Amino acid sequence: MDLTFLNQYINLVVLGICLCIGYVIKTSLDFINNKYIPVIMLVVGTGINMATNLSNINAAVILGGMISGLASTGLYEAMRNLIDKDGKKGE
């Protein structure tokens, strides 16, 4: 199944904001369990995308926020894996 059509819904501004918020939650807020971070990013991404499109909120705007928020968690994991290969940070 080809999911590349979802790329048109990714909003880079929302993705970047969610990536930063997710990073802060992951590294600084120990009382939040890691399994809740994708759900938080989904809600935050949806909220930000809806706030930036107040005059025209529709299903595409909501879907774009959800996908951008969830994509930020995947992007964080990809970046972490590139930086920390085999448990050796920067070596």
Side-chain angles (χ1 to χ4, degrees), residues 15-73:
L15 179 90
I17 293 170
C18 287
L19 179 64
C20 293
I21 292 172
Y23 177 77
V24 169
I25 291 172
K26 176 82 172 171
T27 58
S28 301
L29 304 175
D30 294 333
F31 61 90
I32 297 177
N33 196 332
N34 288 340
K35 70 179 182 179
Y36 297 119
I37 294 175
V39 174
I40 295 168
M41 293 303 95
L42 181 133
V43 172
V44 169
T46 304
I48 292 170
N49 211 27
M50 288 173 61
T52 58
N53 294 294
L54 280 177
S55 63
N56 188 22
I57 296 175
N58 56 28
V61 170
I62 294 170
L63 179 63
M66 295 170 84
I67 290 174
S68 298
L70 289 176
S72 72
T73 60

Side-chain angles (χ1 to χ4, degrees), residues 1-6:
M1 188 163 128
D2 188 23
L3 296 176
T4 56
F5 73 93
L6 294 176

